[in-house]
Amino acid sequence: MSNNSMALYDLLKPDFKHAAIIGWKDAETEAELQKIRQSLEEEIDDLEWDSVKTELYKQLDKLLNISLGSVLARAWVTSHQVKEVIKKTN
C-alpha cells in the first residue's frame, strides 16, 4: 500500500487498547467464532484458546490495514445497485 493510500484503519480510527475487556463473552457465543475455535481445536493439540484470543486482539489493527480504495473497488464491482446505476449512465 502506498503512503498516499488511506486504509480502513485510518478511516475508522479504532481504539483496541481496551479491546480485550470488551465483548469476548458475547463474541464467544457467536456461531462463527465457535466454528473457528472448534476448527482450531481439531487441528491443534493442546490449543490455548486464551492465548489465541489475546493474539487476535493484538492483530486487529493490522487486519484493518487494507487500502480503502481496494475495499471500495471490490464493493463497487460486486454491488447490484452500483451496477444498475452504471447501466443507467451509459
Side-chain angles (χ1 to χ4, degrees), residues 33-73:
L33 187 59
Q34 287 296 326
K35 288 180 189 176
I36 293 169
R37 183 177 181 171
Q38 182 179 2
S39 294
L40 288 173
E41 287 174 339
E42 290 172 1
E43 298 292 324
I44 302 170
D45 293 331
D46 302 323
L47 178 73
E48 294 182 26
W49 183 243
D50 288 336
S51 297
V52 172
K53 291 190 305 186
T54 300
E55 191 60 30
L56 283 172
Y57 272 121
K58 287 180 183 177
Q59 300 299 323
L60 286 176
D61 60 337
K62 293 178 185 171
L63 293 173
L64 293 175
N65 195 18
I66 300 169
S67 164
L68 187 58
S70 297
V71 172
L72 291 175

Side-chain angles (χ1 to χ4, degrees), residues 69-83 86:
S70 297
V71 172
L72 291 175
R74 178 75 177 170
W76 291 334
V77 168
T78 59
S79 171
H80 174 70
Q81 291 172 325
V82 171
K83 287 180 182 180
I86 290 170

